[in-house]
């Protein structure tokens, strides 16, 4: 448990030096901050990404790292597709569905094979990545912007993983189910907003 907590703290700390570079007038820094703020600025992105971290922790074992890694990797693919002009259909619907579905997985305490879980996370990540890619400013440095949204995503997954680790340490899985229900309801609200 302490190793997981230490890794999460180190991952969060690794993102902090980049935040210190956020001074106006530096193209790469602005690109990074624009990318970094995109997932943090939308409730849909934020909820889905935190939920992935919580779910990965509830799955345990190799899923703790494999599920978020599948999400980040496929999100980068989705962003790349959007940047080169390949359209991913139903982006907004896919993002909203990811919030609803991830909440439902937490509510149900759903556990599947590692591959299935990684595929679920990756499927939804494609929509999130495409949205990030489409919303990249024309003046942004693509690589630095991508680094920004990938870093924010890893941070959000880490927050979810830390939450899941705390819930596991106090042996109160009902908290994950309640959190899942709140996330799923938020997904329904987003669907009709």
């Amino acid at each position: 448990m302490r190793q997981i907590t230490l890794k999460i703290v180190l991952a969060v700390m690794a993102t902090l030096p980049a935040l210190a570079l956020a001074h106006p007038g530096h193209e790469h820094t602005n690109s990074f901050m624009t990318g970094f703020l995109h997932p943090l600025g939308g409730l849909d992105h934020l909820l889905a990404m935190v939920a992935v971290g919580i779910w990965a922790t509830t799955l345990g074992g190799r899923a703790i790292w494999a599920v978020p890694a599948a999400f980040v990797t496929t999100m980068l693919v989705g962003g790349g597709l959007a940047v080169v002009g390949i359209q991913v259909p139903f982006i907004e619907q896919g993002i909203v569905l990811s919030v609803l579905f991830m909440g439902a997985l937490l509510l149900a305490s759903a556990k599947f094979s590692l591959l299935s879980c990684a595929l679920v996370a990756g499927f939804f990540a494609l929509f999130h990545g495409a949205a990030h890619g489409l919303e990249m400013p024309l003046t942004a440095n693509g690589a630095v912007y991508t680094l920004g949204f990938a870093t924010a995503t890893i941070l959000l997954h880490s927050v979810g993983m830390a939450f899941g680790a705390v819930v596991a340490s106090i042996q109160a899985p009902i908290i994950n189910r309640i959190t899942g229900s709140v996330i799923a309801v938020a997904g329904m609200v987003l669907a009709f907003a």
Side-chain angles (χ1 to χ4, degrees), residues 2-156:
R2 289 183 185 186
Q3 289 179 341
I4 292 172
T5 304
L6 178 63
K7 289 178 182 177
I8 291 169
V9 169
L10 290 174
V12 170
M13 289 175 58
T15 65
L16 295 179
L19 295 176
L21 298 173
H23 301 289
H26 302 286
E27 176 189 316
H28 297 298
T29 303
N30 286 340
S31 296
F32 179 86
M33 287 310 296
T34 302
F36 185 83
L37 293 174
H38 187 254
L40 301 176
L43 186 61
D44 48 2
H45 294 303
L46 192 136
L47 289 174
M49 292 171 186
V50 169
V52 166
I54 298 170
W55 188 46
T57 303
T58 65
L59 295 169
R62 293 185 305 169
I64 292 173
W65 302 107
V67 170
F71 189 99
V72 172
T73 302
T74 311
M75 180 188 65
L76 293 172
V77 170
L81 291 173
V83 168
V84 299
I86 298 173
Q87 187 171 0
V88 174
F90 306 111
I91 293 173
E92 290 303 319
Q93 294 87 344
I95 291 171
V96 169
L97 185 61
S98 74
V99 176
L100 181 60
F101 198 77
M102 292 308 302
L105 289 171
L106 288 172
L107 176 61
S109 296
K111 293 186 179 189
F112 310 107
S113 71
L114 178 60
L115 178 60
S116 297
C117 294
L119 288 172
V120 166
F123 173 75
F124 290 123
L126 189 68
F127 299 107
H128 288 270
H132 297 325
L134 283 174
E135 295 182 18
M136 181 178 76
L138 294 175
T139 59
N141 175 303
V144 177
Y145 174 83
T146 300
L147 181 63
F149 74 73
T151 301
T153 300
I154 292 166
L155 178 64
L156 291 170

